[in-house]
């Protein structure tokens, strides 16, 4: 597969290239804040850049009309409206967290949510590396949106932590804690690879990562 990366020089861009080349795929397009290089037209573009890069990502996909796998966080409703527009022309797979574990955690949270009433306190904590620009994480926001109330979020920025998310449910007599921790960026790049390979067979439309996992 010929693929492109927007956010090539970043932590995720570099991790994507490492896993994709191991899988035998060919990098033909790369874009960063101040550079862009294309040797052939890509069959799919992977975006792990930044919120401020998003308008340019939209323009690149509008121009190249190729499928998009996007993991960039910090996107707002207007950005999602632009993704929906792109998805009229090409398949788009979006996830704030491409790890299998977080998608399992999401299902567990939906289950617990059926049992806890207003007598239970619920709080979410996330820990990431010191260089992460957005706070709270996109994953924490996504997990919070699975619950039927506004959730207190706590963020730590420590060293080179790859990503830890903890959801605590507490009544006055007990605490139930669900936690996921990434030990490597491969936790995310594996899901991005699965999505990039799957998207080649998809019709135009907006797809979540769970939809790809369940296929
Ligand atoms: N969905 C998921 O599974 C995951 C999502 N992420 C998200 O991916 C994004 C990138 O994370 P990192 O690689 O750690 O960040 P980073 O800061 O290491 O890399 C950001 C990249 O974006 C590029 N960039 C910045 N402005 C740009 C612009 N205007 N045009 C094009 N490129 C531009 C930079 O050159 C750099 O290559 C973040 O939003 C992060 O939250 C990170 C890990 C997993
Ligand atoms: O910036 C990161 O590293 C990560 N960001 C994503 C997020 O904001 O949820 C996903 C993962 O936790 C790693």
């Amino acid at each position: 597969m010929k693929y492109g990366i927007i956010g090539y020089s970043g932590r995720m861009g570099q991790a994507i290239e490492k896993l994709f080349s191991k899988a035998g795929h060919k990098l033909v397009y790369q874009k960063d804040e101040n550079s862009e290089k294309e040797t052939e037209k890509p069959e799919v573009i992977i975006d792990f850049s930044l919120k401020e890069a998003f308008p340019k990502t939209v323009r690149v996909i509008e121009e190249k009309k190729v499928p998009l796998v996007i993991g960039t966080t910090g996107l707002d409703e207007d950005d999602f409206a632009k993704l929906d527009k792109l998805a009229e022309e090409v398949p788009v797979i979006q996830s704030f967290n491409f790890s299998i574990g977080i998608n399992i955690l999401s299902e567990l949270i939906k289950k617990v949510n059926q049992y806890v009433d207003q007598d239970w306190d619920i709080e979410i904590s996330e820990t990431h590396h010191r260089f992460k620009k957005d706070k709270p994480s996109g994953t924490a926001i996504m997990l919070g949106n699975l619950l039927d109330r506004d959730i207190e979020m706590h963020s730590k920025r420590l060293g080179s932590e790859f990503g830890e998310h903890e959801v605590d449910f507490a009544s006055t007599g007990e605490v139930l804690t669900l936690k996921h921790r990434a030990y490597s960026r491969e936790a995310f790049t594996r899901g991005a690879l699965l999505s990039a390979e799957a998207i080649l067979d998809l019709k135009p439309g907006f797809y979540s990562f769970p939809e790809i996992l369940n296929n």
Side-chain angles (χ1 to χ4, degrees), residues 11-12 48 71-74 95-98 102 126-129 131-134 136-141 157 161-165 180 182 185 188:
R11 283 170 285 269
M12 280 301 292
F48 282 86
T72 301
T73 58
S95 177
F96 289 141
N97 198 303
F98 277 100
I102 281 292
E126 54 95 355
T127 303
H128 283 86
H129 52 89
F131 308 105
K132 185 169 175 58
K133 296 179 179 67
D134 55 324
S137 67
T139 303
I141 294 167
R157 293 295 173 261
E161 280 286 345
F162 291 114
E164 179 179 291
H165 292 87
H180 174 272
R185 284 191 175 89
F188 314 119

Side-chain angles (χ1 to χ4, degrees), residues 97-161:
N97 198 303
F98 277 100
S99 74
I100 308 289
I102 281 292
N103 284 280
I104 297 170
L105 174 61
S106 300
E107 294 307 308
L108 296 176
I109 287 172
K110 288 180 204 168
K111 192 74 187 162
V112 175
N113 191 43
Q114 293 170 12
Y115 296 100
V116 296
D117 60 20
Q118 291 306 319
D119 181 48
W120 287 74
D121 308 314
I122 307 177
E123 301 211 358
I124 293 178
S125 311
E126 54 95 355
T127 303
H128 283 86
H129 52 89
R130 66 173 65 166
F131 308 105
K132 185 169 175 58
K133 296 179 179 67
D134 55 324
K135 186 185 283 189
S137 67
T139 303
I141 294 167
M142 180 271 289
L143 296 175
N145 289 337
L146 299 174
L147 297 156
D148 303 330
R149 62 176 89 166
D150 288 338
I151 302 292
E152 185 87 27
M153 301 265 179
H154 307 274
S155 297
K156 285 184 191 172
R157 293 295 173 261
L158 296 174
S160 60
E161 280 286 345

Side-chain angles (χ1 to χ4, degrees), residues 5-15 31-35 47-57 70-75 94-99 128-129 131-134 137-139 162 185 187-189 191-192 209:
I5 303 175
I6 298 177
Y8 170 74
S9 68
R11 283 170 285 269
M12 280 301 292
Q14 292 296 295
K31 179 171 180 4
D32 275 309
E33 190 164 4
N34 302 309
S35 69
D47 183 299
F48 282 86
S49 56
L50 297 176
K51 155 86 175 161
E52 49 266 36
F54 185 71
K56 191 70 178 79
T57 295
I70 183 165
T72 301
T73 58
L75 303 184
Q94 181 276 332
S95 177
F96 289 141
N97 198 303
F98 277 100
S99 74
H128 283 86
H129 52 89
F131 308 105
K132 185 169 175 58
K133 296 179 179 67
D134 55 324
S137 67
T139 303
F162 291 114
R185 284 191 175 89
F188 314 119
T189 57
F209 184 44

